[in-house]
Amino acid sequence: MKTLKKLLYIIPLLGAMITSCTDVENIEVEHIGGYNTLGDSEYYANLRAYKETAKNYGRPVAFGWFSNWAPSGVMRKGYLSSVPDSMDIISMWSGAPGRYEITEAQKADKEFAQKVKGIKLLEVSLLSHLGKGRTPEYIYDEIEKQAAEEGWSDSELAAAKKYARWDFWGFKSHNFDNTEELNQALAKYAKALCDSLFVSEWDGFDIDWEPGAGFSDSDGTLNNTTIQVLVKEMGKYIGPKSDPEGKGHKLLCIDGYINYFSEEMEEYVDYWITQSYGHGTPDYTSPGNIPEKLIITENFESFATSGGKLLQQAAWMPAEGYKGGVGAYRFDNDYDNTPDYKWMRQAIQINQQVFNEWKANQGKK
């Protein structure tokens, strides 16, 4: 069994939360990478209580996109349970969980991260067209059979599959002037995107919106206008709009080209995530310039060894208010540093430190 030093801001519990102040502690955690602990220790209870303080933007969060999810063997890099305990939100870049059955090892790793560490795990997708990630493969069976028998070209097959997909979701006119029909199809798609989150017990959805750059499979059904229709429909089931009483909800986040969204979208979105790669300050503000909703991130596909600008991003604060959080793309690559997650651990501490300093300047305890 390996003993790891964990740096964590802990809120002590004495039957109930008695203080809102946070302290930095060095806590010894016996940890072999996953689900060896029942999660009923005081340490984990305190950890989950700390996570609760991020609700309603009570503090900035620690965020990251996780790639190469492979919780097996002695190599700990692929385990969610090996990330820093103070991570708040993880987007599953290693694969959209709504699209496949996870293994028993992944299920155990997922449950430890969520239920013991209190980390929120999001599905993430480069949404580029109606039905992406939720269209059943069986609708293409007859088309592919016919294409093989008749010797269709690749472009003929692709067109036929596109129209079959549109038909499945209810966009049967194939006419973009028929906005009512397209919007109804998007509403059906939005419900399917959200339903699977509840069935598979994921904590929300991260829309990666990068038209013209991040994907090449657009078919015209999702553009800078219709993506906002989709977000509004998703907002019926997840995100702040679905939870007017603030009782708790699955998160709805958007990353990428967040500047394409209207101010109206603020009420539907929990966090806007700006890919400010190589920059110490964010590239964009949120559409309504609400700083506590803005997460700034670095690219650890390129800068995991040096840390890039992550620590500067962690230290950055807006002119008024406080930022929503800090994070990194493919932050699991930071595991390879010494100590593991070297840069993320420092960023988490700085992220909280500058918030505590800001709060103190407001005359709050």
Side-chain angles (χ1 to χ4, degrees):
M1 189 169 289
K2 183 179 180 183
T3 303
L4 300 178
K5 291 276 189 180
K6 300 286 185 180
L7 274 174
L8 175 67
Y9 294 87
I10 290 296
I11 296 177
L13 295 183
L14 296 175
M17 197 175 298
I18 61 174
T19 176
S20 62
C21 298
T22 56
D23 298 304
V24 181
E25 298 185 42
N26 287 318
I27 297 179
E28 296 277 350
V29 180
E30 290 188 329
H31 182 67
I32 60 172
Y35 30 91
N36 56 300
T37 306
L38 293 177
D40 56 359
S41 68
E42 182 181 3
Y43 170 82
Y44 284 119
N46 288 341
L47 177 62
R48 291 190 296 271
Y50 166 71
K51 301 300 176 67
E52 289 295 306
T53 64
K55 283 188 174 180
N56 299 316
Y57 312 102
R59 60 169 175 80
V61 298
F63 169 85
W65 287 278
F66 191 93
S67 58
N68 299 311
W69 185 29
S72 61
V74 296
M75 179 62 178
R76 308 306 311 162
K77 182 176 180 178
Y79 287 73
L80 290 170
S81 48
S82 289
V83 306
D85 288 351
S86 298
M87 290 297 298
D88 291 291
I89 304 171
I90 294 176
S91 250
M92 299 298 293
W93 188 253
S94 51
R99 302 181 190 179
Y100 61 88
E101 293 295 325
I102 63 176
T103 67
E104 287 301 312
Q106 287 175 320
K107 181 179 179 181
D109 190 47
K110 169 181 175 288
E111 289 185 353
F112 187 88
Q114 290 175 307
K115 297 179 181 180
V116 179
K117 287 192 171 187
I119 299 172
K120 294 189 180 299
L121 304 178
L122 311 183
E123 177 176 354
V124 56
S125 180
L126 278 159
L127 293 187
S128 54
H129 59 254
L130 171 67
K132 185 171 183 177
R134 293 297 187 274
T135 304
E137 288 297 318
Y138 71 79
I139 73 165
Y140 304 128
D141 290 347
E142 288 300 318
I143 294 171
E144 290 174 341
K145 180 181 177 181
Q146 185 179 358
E149 291 174 349
E150 299 179 5
W152 293 3
S153 67
D154 290 344
S155 60
E156 289 173 326
L157 175 59
K161 291 176 74 171
K162 176 183 71 175
Y163 294 134
R165 183 173 67 246
W166 289 359
D167 290 345
F168 176 82
W169 292 102
F171 184 40
K172 296 183 178 181
S173 70
H174 306 170
N175 179 4
F176 286 99
D177 290 331
N178 192 342
T179 55
E180 181 178 357
E181 185 183 59
L182 177 56
N183 289 350
Q184 289 175 350
L186 291 169
K188 181 179 178 181
Y189 177 44
K191 188 174 188 303
L193 285 171
C194 298
D195 281 350
S196 62
L197 301 177
F198 290 90
V199 172
S200 302
E201 297 185 341
W202 296 92
D203 299 304
F205 201 97
D206 171 12
I207 297 173
D208 189 356
W209 185 241
E210 301 184 51
F215 50 77
S216 59
D217 57 347
S218 175
D219 65 5
T221 51
L222 284 179
N223 54 43
N224 289 327
T225 298
T226 55
I227 187 63
Q228 299 187 71
V229 174
L230 183 69
V231 169
K232 288 181 179 181
E233 291 295 334
M234 292 178 73
K236 295 177 180 178
Y237 314 103
I238 65 175
K241 190 72 169 178
S242 70
D243 182 29
E245 297 181 3
K247 295 182 178 180
H249 58 267
K250 294 188 184 296
L251 299 177
L252 178 53
C253 303
I254 299 178
D255 74 83
Y257 296 151
I258 62 176
N259 57 311
Y260 287 161
F261 290 84
S262 68
E263 183 176 348
E264 180 187 7
M265 293 294 103
E266 288 283 14
E267 60 183 321
Y268 295 89
V269 175
D270 288 286
Y271 289 103
W272 304 91
I273 306 163
T274 176
Q275 300 173 3
S276 301
Y277 300 161
H279 301 154
T281 58
D283 294 336
Y284 309 115
T285 62
S286 77
N289 195 24
I290 302 176
E292 63 268 27
K293 286 192 171 191
L294 188 70
I295 298 174
I296 179 173
T297 63
E298 180 55 287
N299 181 5
F300 273 16
E301 186 170 75
S302 303
F303 302 118
T305 302
S306 67
K309 299 292 186 180
L310 183 67
L311 300 190
Q312 292 95 314
Q313 292 178 351
W316 175 82
M317 288 284 270
E320 295 184 7
Y322 54 94
K323 66 176 177 291
V326 70
Y329 172 58
R330 300 193 66 185
F331 81 101
D332 47 299
N333 286 336
D334 192 17
Y335 180 89
D336 296 331
N337 291 314
T338 303
D340 59 277
Y341 289 109
K342 170 184 176 180
W343 300 115
M344 281 303 303
R345 294 183 193 280
Q346 293 181 58
I348 290 169
Q349 296 172 60
I350 295 169
N351 189 38
Q352 189 66 34
Q353 179 185 350
V354 295
F355 170 69
N356 287 341
E357 292 170 353
W358 173 87
K359 190 167 60 171
N361 290 335
Q362 310 308 303
K364 300 177 182 178
K365 294 182 179 180

